[in-house]
Amino acid sequence: MTTDDLSGMGPLVARLSRGGQRLRHADRTHPWVLDTAVVVLLFLMFCLPDLIHGGVNDGDSPRRFRLAFTHLPVAGMLALQAGLVLPLLWRRRKPVAAFAAITAVFVLQWSLGAALRADIALFVALYSLALHGRLRQLPWACAAMAGAMVLVAVRASSAVSVWDALFFLLSTATAALALGMMVRIRRAQLAGLRERAARLEIERDQRSRLATATERTRVAREMHDIVGHNLSVIITLADAGAYATDTQPARGKEALELIGDTGRQALGELRRVLGVLRERADGPPDRPELSPQPGLADLEGLCAKVRAAGLEVVYRTSGDVDALDSGVQLTVYRIVQEALTNTLKHADPGTRVHLAILVEDNRLTIRVQDTGPATPPGPPNEEGHGLVGMRERAALYGGTVSAGPTGGGGWSIEAVLDLTPESGGDR
């Protein structure tokens, strides 16, 4: 076969594939049509010639074949043909019953010594049983088939050798059985592939939804940290500025300037977070105004804003904090920011806050303790979103967060992060 012949087979294979898909769809919609077509085809090809010529024992066959088989009247022949062919109508719905009925008629026919071309129906029934029946039913079906073939070989022994007849008949039965099993295995493989493809599609959609939910959680956490902290500072400064306007105008002006600086910083951080989410419908996404993520170096500025809002912050570090990577520094910054925001919300003006960041080997500890009243950041028996967000951030590094009142009447938050580098997926 030449290359041109191979290239010309592409459209033919495509047409055959489309035709096969249409036939399978039609069969699923109207299964009785195929079963009826099989019965009609067998009748035209194998039953009608026997009715016309009077059976396989007439015609031009050798004399010993004509003498070996019994001549049947048309009515008896038609009844046996109906018993062989009609059960094929339910060969897919009830393959065991169809095979049993055809086998019974087949044994009856050969017990009478008659030979019919419609005996091919027994091999079709065996094929259907291997394809549609239960596998545990095949052994007894094969045994019944072998017994029927032995009966045929014995009845035809006057015309042909028993062993030759058995070899031919059993080979034909084996071919029908093997064909049915091959089609069954092929269909099972295709069904498995379709199921796997559907499962992979579901998993892909689940991963996409999970990634979307994770990104939404991250953005919501960033928004909470930015908006919650800066608004708390702005509100505190506004209250202090309003109080100082009449008595100390200079302090009121300073408060307004700090409010402006804090608002501009919050606006810049919001633009950075929301800029990566904004896309233009008619082109590439807008380039957001990027700025470095906050780290430990920005804690001094954070403490300065809190001090300006009326709290006294004492900040110290211990250990090699400069060696921390940017991800850890961002986590530390956000946890401290949330802790100071809670203190700013719930503590009285003039409260002293002790902030300590300690690095010891592969362990990082953040302690934020104030001397104000031990007012929990939220309703009784309910954790606020800020504490939940801190725990989520600490969990990224295998850490924990604990919070509660201190013995001196204040509130304490302690976060511990595990800095052990990951190796092979294990810490």
Side-chain angles (χ1 to χ4, degrees), residues 293-378:
Q293 291 277 25
L296 296 183
D298 300 292
L299 287 179
E300 287 290 352
L302 179 64
C303 293
K305 289 197 301 182
V306 175
R307 292 189 189 103
L311 299 183
E312 182 181 350
V313 182
V314 179
Y315 170 45
R316 69 183 181 90
T317 61
S318 176
D320 191 7
V321 295
D322 295 332
L324 299 176
D325 61 57
S326 58
V328 175
Q329 292 194 31
L330 175 62
T331 299
V332 173
Y333 181 89
R334 292 305 187 193
I335 292 176
V336 172
Q337 183 185 49
E338 183 61 37
L340 293 178
T341 300
N342 287 337
T343 303
L344 196 60
K345 288 180 181 177
H346 302 284
D348 295 332
T351 298
R352 173 174 290 188
V353 182
H354 295 273
L355 168 61
I357 299 176
L358 312 175
V359 178
E360 300 173 347
D361 296 330
N362 292 322
R363 177 187 177 95
L364 187 148
T365 304
I366 306 169
R367 292 194 185 98
V368 182
Q369 183 176 350
D370 62 67
T371 59
T375 305

